[in-house]
Amino acid sequence: MIALATVLLVIVGVAQVIVLIIQRRQTCLTFVEFYRKRWFELREAWSITVFFGRDPDEYYQVVNKNVVKKYQEDSAKAMLSAPTIWARESIQATCSMFSDVCLKILQGQLAVEDIYPVFGTELLRQSRPLRVLLDTTVDDGRHKWFGMHAGPSQVQENHYRVREELQDWLIYHDGIRRRCLILIDLLWAEAVRLGDLPPDDIKSAADAKELSGHLNRRRLSDECRRLNLAKYGIRGLWLSFFLQHAEYKKKKFIPGIDRERLKELDREWTKRLLRR
């Protein structure tokens, strides 16, 4: 009788674990679908964010030149005496969503591999202009050579001024800023793991991470401590470990980029381009 009761308890326990796993998975899928819809709704806000992260006349934008021209005209009307609401609302909407996604990942409610298909390389291709806004130590190009001009044109000057306004907003909302940077790092690591990025991009980022990789991992660990995620300590360690997918391999059993394999991929990529 005792043996039968023990077996029944084990069966009930296993069933409860299975139910919890299914519920957890369903919650994760619900979040993924929510952010997929939200990302689609924020197309315009995202294009404005990218516009101010890049130079006003830069070729690589996420909207056509007519829309870029409208953004230039609107930024020219910006006044020093009042905030540029339409630009600020855009950065607030996009970065708040990225921050929220990062929180869900840190708390274990979302997995990087689940949310990655929502943003994918679409976000990562624009990660540099986003980093320009998020991290003021990144070269934003405003001190580049302006050709025949002694300095930036009036259009460029207006552009940089609104950019500073957006950077100021992010500085005052430092938690959002930090979590956006963490999300970019996590998505980049997943893209490298899947081989979704060109070898040149992987190499340039890995070169940079030889200096910044340990800082990125520390930023993630510090964020977990800030959020009092003691019970997610193992997850914090795992995510810090996961970031090393985007760095050069240092030890045999630690993830990372093999330099020789990267050279081979670069040769294959070059051959593909030459065959076009």
Side-chain angles (χ1 to χ4, degrees):
M1 197 69 181
I2 295 175
L4 179 60
T6 302
V7 170
L8 288 174
L9 285 173
V10 170
I11 293 173
V12 170
V14 170
Q16 287 177 334
V17 169
I18 293 172
V19 169
L20 286 173
I21 291 172
I22 293 172
Q23 287 177 339
R24 187 186 184 89
R25 185 59 186 166
Q26 188 57 49
T27 301
C28 178
L29 293 174
T30 301
F31 281 135
V32 168
E33 188 56 31
F34 169 78
Y35 288 119
R36 193 188 305 279
K37 291 178 180 176
R38 185 66 179 142
W39 180 231
F40 181 78
E41 293 167 355
L42 291 175
R43 291 299 188 195
E44 183 180 1
W46 173 236
S47 69
I48 293 170
T49 300
V50 171
F51 170 73
F52 283 110
R54 292 193 179 278
D55 277 352
D57 54 352
E58 200 167 337
Y59 176 77
Y60 293 101
Q61 301 284 350
V62 294
V63 287
N64 63 52
K65 61 181 181 181
N66 292 328
V67 179
V68 170
K69 185 178 179 181
K70 180 181 181 300
Y71 293 161
Q72 290 174 349
E73 292 170 351
D74 289 345
S75 59
K77 299 172 186 175
M79 297 179 293
L80 287 170
S81 58
T84 313
I85 298 298
W86 61 279
R88 186 177 293 189
E89 285 180 343
S90 297
I91 194 77
Q92 180 178 351
T94 53
C95 288
S96 293
M97 180 186 66
F98 294 152
S99 171
D100 193 39
V101 170
C102 182
L103 275 173
K104 295 288 191 297
I105 293 173
L106 296 180
Q107 293 170 342
Q109 295 173 290
L110 274 175
V112 179
E113 58 267 28
D114 289 324
I115 201 65
Y116 173 79
V118 174
F119 303 112
T121 54
E122 182 182 359
L123 187 155
L124 295 180
R125 279 197 297 267
Q126 307 295 340
S127 61
R128 192 182 184 286
L130 183 55
R131 280 188 185 275
V132 165
L133 296 173
L134 295 167
D135 187 355
T136 54
T137 63
V138 175
D139 177 20
D140 64 1
R142 75 181 66 191
H143 303 300
K144 68 177 183 179
W145 171 249
F146 290 100
M148 298 299 292
H149 297 286
S153 66
Q154 190 58 52
V155 170
Q156 290 165 326
E157 196 64 55
N158 292 334
H159 186 85
Y160 294 142
R161 193 181 63 73
V162 178
R163 178 189 289 176
E164 287 178 351
E165 186 182 328
L166 302 185
Q167 289 172 327
D168 287 344
W169 186 88
L170 286 163
I171 288 170
Y172 281 108
H173 296 81
D174 194 49
I176 290 175
R177 188 191 67 82
R178 289 192 313 268
R179 289 187 285 275
C180 287
L181 288 168
I182 292 170
L183 179 64
I184 294 172
D185 291 337
L186 288 169
L187 294 177
W188 190 273
E190 177 67 358
V192 173
R193 187 182 73 84
L194 295 175
D196 283 357
L197 296 167
D200 279 350
D201 289 353
I202 294 174
K203 183 180 183 306
S204 61
D207 288 343
K209 289 178 189 296
E210 288 200 277
L211 294 175
S212 65
H214 70 287
L215 297 175
N216 297 341
R217 295 194 299 276
R218 185 187 300 168
R219 178 168 55 210
L220 190 153
S221 299
D222 288 347
E223 194 65 22
C224 286
R225 282 195 291 273
R226 249 185 227 103
L227 297 169
N228 195 27
L229 299 180
K231 62 180 179 179
Y232 299 115
I234 294 175
R235 182 164 182 79
L237 288 172
W238 162 247
L239 289 173
S240 297
F241 183 75
F242 179 80
L243 288 182
Q244 293 182 83
H245 280 291
E247 302 175 32
Y248 287 122
K249 197 173 187 70
K250 297 179 180 68
K251 295 182 181 178
K252 186 175 180 180
F253 298 106
I254 291 179
I257 302 163
D258 183 271
R259 294 174 189 266
E260 293 304 314
R261 175 58 181 156
L262 185 58
K263 290 178 183 177
E264 185 182 331
L265 287 173
D266 189 44
R267 288 192 292 269
E268 292 174 4
W269 187 272
T270 303
K271 286 178 185 177
R272 241 181 263 131
L273 289 174
L274 291 174
R275 284 199 298 266
R276 287 177 58 186

